[in-house]
Amino acid sequence: MNRVWSWIIAVPRFLYEFIVGDDWTVAVAVLAGLVVTAVLNANHIVAWWLMPIVAIVMTEISIRRLHPRG
Amino acid sequence: MISTGVLPVLITTFLASAVEAVEMVTIVVGVGATRGWRSTLIGAISGFGVLAVVVVVLGAALSRIPIGPLRLVIGSLLLVFGLQWFRKGIVRVAARGLQGMAGEDPRESAEQWRGPGMDWTAWFLSFKGVVLEGLEVAIIVVSFGAGANNYAPAIVGGAAALVIFLGVGFSIHRSLRRIPRSFLQLIVGTLLTTFGTFWSVEGLGVTWPASDGTVVVLLIIYAATAFGYINLQRRRTAGLTAAA
């Protein structure tokens, strides 16, 4: 039973660490970027440019947040 | 129905499948060289197993699987995970350049799986890469085979691309192991971010300006970004050191 319970805890923890990692703001920004991209696309507005910008900007924000001293 | 000539179908499926096979090998070899081979190979074999089941069960209906939602989900996961490696690679290369294994940071060694069990991160990345790219190879082969009314050369072309590029990928993996892991992490992070961006946006139904050629453009943009951020991070660190 303990083994089953540890698996129940370990799987979501693994998924969180795998997908989100040590900076949850990046995952949230990617999700938000995809939602906005979908909305723009649904309204026939060119939207391909948004996600590369989100990725580039969030990388710098994440570096400044987690590695301010290099 | 008249079947198309053998050679055009063979060449077309080989080249189209080669693109996907190279992507598959890049992900598997990159993950294996960075995190260790055992779990990565088990993940790849598991992926091929799933693919075999999918191909056998679905057969010709394979081309009807909606690749859009699949690409959106897989692409989003790859993008979020890829950005982690991208950022860590930038910071580590900025700190130590292309320093080899001898001078590696103990924090970096923590990312190489040392435990007795399975490294599920390596397994999952490898599994995912094989399933997604393999599914695309299967779709290409089935689509071309059905379109040409000639499955044999399509299957041979697709299988040959997989065998040849998997062989090439694994034959150079020892060279990959000699590359500093920080730099390799940056390369893999750049690739995962590139494909993650491409697939997630394409999965939403958005058309990229240069179609599949956009992958190369994104790769160049992200590589230039990494180069710029490495220089910025070095200047930032040098400024902090001088101030201290």
Side-chain angles (χ1 to χ4, degrees):
Chain A
M1 190 64 188
N2 278 346
R3 199 175 176 84
V4 174
W5 185 243
S6 70
W7 267 93
I8 292 169
I9 294 171
V11 171
R13 182 182 291 172
F14 161 74
L15 288 174
Y16 182 85
E17 285 176 3
F18 174 75
I19 297 167
V20 178
D22 55 1
D23 191 355
W24 60 270
T25 61
V26 173
V28 171
V30 166
L31 185 65
L34 288 170
V35 169
V36 174
T37 301
V39 170
L40 289 175
N41 190 51
N43 288 285
H44 308 290
I45 298 169
V46 176
W48 55 263
W49 50 270
L50 183 60
M51 288 313 293
I53 291 175
V54 168
I56 290 167
V57 170
M58 285 312 297
T59 299
E60 171 60 4
I61 290 172
S62 189
I63 289 172
R64 280 175 179 267
R65 232 168 61 82
L66 296 178
H67 310 277
R69 293 178 182 277
Chain B
M1 193 186 288
I2 299 168
S3 65
T4 308
V6 169
L7 207 56
V9 175
L10 186 76
I11 292 171
T12 309
T13 51
F14 178 84
L15 291 177
S17 302
V19 173
E20 307 300 339
V22 167
E23 291 171 7
M24 182 195 292
V25 170
T26 304
I27 292 170
V28 172
V29 171
V31 172
T34 311
R35 298 210 40 123
W37 286 99
R38 185 174 162 272
S39 300
T40 303
L41 288 177
I42 293 172
I45 291 165
S46 307
F48 280 117
V50 168
L51 277 178
V53 172
V54 167
V55 170
V56 167
V57 170
L58 298 177
L62 200 61
S63 58
R64 294 182 183 179
I65 292 178
I67 194 75
L70 187 70
R71 281 192 154 175
L72 174 60
V73 173
I74 300 285
S76 305
L77 292 175
L78 277 183
L79 181 54
V80 173
F81 183 81
L83 281 171
Q84 286 184 62
W85 279 26
F86 189 57
R87 185 240 309 154
K88 287 175 183 172
I90 287 168
V91 171
R92 287 167 181 172
V93 170
R96 291 188 303 281
L98 303 182
Q99 200 173 345
M101 296 292 197
E104 70 183 14
D105 188 329
R107 288 176 301 175
E108 194 174 19
S109 301
E111 296 222 348
Q112 177 87 35
W113 185 254
R114 303 277 184 216
M118 182 76 76
D119 176 2
W120 288 106
T121 300
W123 182 91
F124 190 55
L125 276 176
S126 176
F127 174 80
K128 213 168 51 169
V130 167
V131 168
L132 183 65
E133 301 302 338
L135 197 57
E136 293 185 12
V137 169
I139 290 170
I140 289 166
V141 166
V142 172
S143 301
F144 269 91
N149 193 28
N150 198 349
Y151 277 95
I155 292 168
V156 170
L162 282 180
V163 169
I164 289 171
F165 285 95
L166 283 172
V168 169
F170 285 109
S171 68
I172 64 163
H173 86 264
R174 290 191 187 283
S175 301
L176 281 173
R177 288 175 68 180
R178 283 196 287 270
I179 297 173
R181 209 160 53 246
S182 301
F183 186 55
L184 188 61
Q185 185 175 42
L186 179 59
I187 291 172
V188 176
T190 308
L191 286 165
L192 292 177
T193 303
T194 297
F195 288 117
T197 305
F198 183 77
W199 284 332
S200 60
V201 172
E202 201 176 54
L204 288 171
V206 175
T207 306
W208 286 102
S211 193
D212 285 354
T214 304
V215 170
V216 179
V217 177
L218 284 173
L219 193 59
I220 292 168
I221 289 171
Y222 286 136
T225 301
F227 183 74
Y229 282 167
I230 286 167
N231 286 326
L232 186 66
Q233 186 69 357
R234 279 180 178 159
R235 281 205 297 273
R236 198 177 289 151
T237 308
L240 282 170
T241 308

